[in-house]
Amino acid sequence: MEFNPDTLETKEIYKLLTGSIIPRPIAWIATIDESGTNNLAPFSYFNMIGDDPPHVMFSTRRDNNSNKDTLNNVLSTKQFVVNMVTESLAEEMNSSAQAVAPEVDEFEMVGVTPIPSSVVKPMRVKESPIQFECEMVHHYFLEDHKQGGACVIIGRVVRMHFDESVLLEDYKINMKTYKPIARLAGSNYSKIGEVFSIKRS
């Protein structure tokens, strides 16, 4: 079947995209507002976009033409932390996705430990084995939207934190101890399953 996005409802486009572009890594984004309140929320519109210098991107939807707290905080402070999500943090990550008032500290709400970052103001999640401190370098609001669109945030990674338990020699990652999870569609997530290798020709 062929679909023209211009003739589909937003929820129909969402189902087609999130059900087919899988699995998606999850960025557990920590931010802080100007009054010092912590914010923590997961985003699966996320990936790395460069290593020289290192940059990552994430996108946040603007349902009903309204910014999420994460977006407001990043636009205000120009900083955020990406905490990678593992199997042991799945429940806490999911709980932090619920819509709550801006003054609610999701670290406290879901029971994870905030620890200071080295360069940026937002806290890191102690229980996450990999964290990236980021400074925003660019943002872009999607145009010609139906219900609020989305905003893409690009951040330069200024510090990287890795627990020794997930590191191998030569800066490689131990997938057996890292145990990341990824987003599928609806309420579904995935673990790392069978891994196969293909050498580049």
Side-chain angles (χ1 to χ4, degrees), residues 102-133:
E103 60 269 20
V104 174
D105 183 331
E106 284 89 352
F107 281 85
E108 181 178 341
M109 183 182 79
V110 304
V112 292
T113 310
I115 56 175
S117 296
S118 299
V119 177
V120 302
K121 291 182 179 179
M123 295 290 190
R124 295 179 286 136
V125 175
K126 180 180 180 180
E127 292 80 2
S128 172
I130 300 176
Q131 309 130 7
F132 302 111
E133 298 182 33

Side-chain angles (χ1 to χ4, degrees), residues 33-106:
D33 67 16
E34 292 183 338
S35 66
T37 302
N38 294 321
N39 181 268
L40 184 64
F43 296 86
S44 65
Y45 292 3
F46 160 73
N47 221 311
M48 64 179 193
I49 57 173
D51 59 87
D52 182 22
H55 282 71
V56 296
M57 65 74 60
F58 76 96
S59 175
T60 169
R61 294 173 57 190
R62 299 183 66 255
D63 297 328
N64 300 315
N65 291 295
S66 178
N67 289 354
K68 294 181 182 294
D69 294 337
T70 298
L71 178 56
N72 285 332
N73 293 346
V74 173
L75 294 178
S76 175
T77 67
K78 309 296 191 291
Q79 296 180 337
F80 60 95
V81 175
V82 174
N83 303 276
M84 301 306 293
V85 181
T86 60
E87 293 178 22
S88 63
L89 292 170
E91 291 295 335
E92 291 83 351
M93 176 276 300
N94 185 59
S95 294
S96 71
Q98 59 187 298
V100 295
E103 60 269 20
V104 174
D105 183 331
E106 284 89 352

Side-chain angles (χ1 to χ4, degrees), residues 20-34:
S20 56
I21 302 176
I22 56 173
R24 299 186 303 281
I26 303 167
W28 209 4
I29 303 290
T31 58
I32 193 169
D33 67 16
E34 292 183 338

Side-chain angles (χ1 to χ4, degrees), residues 166-187:
V166 300
L167 286 174
L168 297 171
E169 294 182 359
D170 196 28
Y171 302 95
K172 294 180 180 179
I173 305 300
N174 187 336
M175 299 305 296
K176 293 181 179 179
T177 56
Y178 178 21
K179 297 183 179 179
I181 62 172
R183 191 78 163 89
L184 301 176
S187 301

